């Protein structure tokens, strides 16, 4: 009679269970510790008045522009994205600055993402080609060895052992040596 348990026996060993408990304990401590530290920091900060543009409608007086070095250090709105727009709240008639995302900045981020995607595509395509050539070479060596005598098997095993040793040490063998 077979058991319905699909957990491998190796996963039930005490050492394995202890390592899992330790790992997940550290992960949860890190997550909850960060949350607790974040709560402590937020209570120490002075409460900031809610901007009027969150509570009421507003009119944009000046379109999204880049902040100067001085403004990016002094204005809270400039610190978030580096771009700010001047607005006027309709009910309270207050003029405030609101952080915004520039179309130029968005386009720049888009092309950065596209370049990164293309680079990763090229890298992994080259990796696939190299791996395919390696497998093709091994298959052709195996085919040649199967058709010839037993000496080929010993030579192939020796070559594989040398390749493995060289791979582990990081050396490259020169052809013919």
């Amino acid at each position: 009679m077979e058991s319905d348990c699909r957990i491998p026996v190796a996963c039930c060993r005490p050492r394995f269970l202890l390592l899992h408990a330790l790992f997940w304990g550290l992960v949860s401590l890190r997550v909850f510790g960060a949350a607790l530290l974040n709560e402590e920091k937020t209570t120490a900060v002075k409460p900031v008045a809610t901007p009027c543009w969150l509570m009421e409608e507003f009119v944009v007086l000046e379109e999204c522009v880049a902040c100067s070095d001085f403004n990016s250090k002094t204005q809270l709105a400039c610190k978030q994205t580096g771009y700010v727009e001047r607005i006027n709240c309709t009910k309270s008639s207050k003029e405030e600055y609101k952080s915004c995302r520039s179309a130029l900045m968005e386009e720049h981020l888009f092309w950065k993402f596209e370049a990164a995607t293309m680079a990763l595509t090229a890298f992994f395509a080259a990796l696939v080609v190299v791996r395919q050539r390696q497998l093709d070479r091994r298959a052709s060596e195996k085919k040649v060895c199967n058709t010839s005598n037993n000496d080929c098997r010993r030579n192939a095993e020796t070559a594989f052992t040398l390749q493995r040793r060289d791979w582990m040490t990081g050396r490259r063998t020169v052809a013919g040596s």
Side-chain angles (χ1 to χ4, degrees):
M1 180 182 218
E2 290 186 28
S3 171
D4 288 336
C5 180
R6 294 176 188 239
I7 300 173
V9 176
C11 295
C12 297
R13 292 192 179 132
R15 184 185 309 160
F16 190 80
L17 293 174
L18 181 65
L19 286 174
H20 265 280
L22 181 66
F23 173 75
W24 289 112
L26 289 173
V27 168
S28 61
L29 182 66
R30 175 75 177 145
V31 170
F32 294 124
L36 290 175
L37 288 175
N38 195 19
E39 283 179 11
E40 290 173 8
K41 287 180 184 176
T42 56
T43 56
V45 175
K46 294 178 184 177
V48 178
T50 306
C52 68
W53 51 269
L54 284 176
M55 304 300 239
E56 54 188 270
E57 292 183 19
F58 59 89
V59 177
V60 177
L61 298 176
E62 187 178 330
E63 289 296 321
C64 197
V65 293
C67 296
S68 67
D69 289 337
F70 176 74
N71 286 343
S72 63
K73 293 178 184 174
T74 57
Q75 286 183 350
L76 183 63
C78 281
K79 289 182 182 178
Q80 294 173 356
T81 61
Y83 289 87
V84 70
E85 62 187 359
R86 195 168 56 125
I87 60 165
N88 186 9
C89 296
T90 53
K91 288 183 183 175
S92 61
S93 310
K94 286 175 66 177
E95 269 191 24
E96 288 189 12
Y97 288 96
K98 178 180 173 289
S99 183
C100 59
R101 297 184 67 88
S102 165
L104 183 66
M105 181 179 69
E106 291 291 329
E107 184 179 0
H108 183 69
L109 289 174
F110 170 76
W111 288 113
K112 268 187 176 178
F113 171 74
E114 285 293 316
T117 304
M118 294 301 274
L120 283 173
T121 301
F123 172 74
F124 284 113
L127 192 66
V128 166
V129 168
V130 167
R131 180 67 177 152
Q132 188 63 49
R133 286 182 182 168
Q134 185 182 38
L135 292 174
D136 288 345
R137 187 176 63 245
R138 282 187 186 172
S140 66
E141 287 173 0
K142 196 173 197 179
K143 190 181 288 184
V144 168
C145 285
N146 286 339
T147 58
S148 64
N149 57 12
N150 285 338
D151 264 352
C152 186
R153 176 173 288 163
R154 268 187 266 121
N155 290 340
E157 288 172 359
T158 306
F160 179 73
T161 306
L162 289 174
Q163 283 178 351
R164 185 166 181 247
R165 185 190 69 209
D166 291 342
W167 177 78
M168 293 174 87
T169 59
R171 294 185 313 178
R172 295 187 62 108
T173 55
V174 179
S177 60

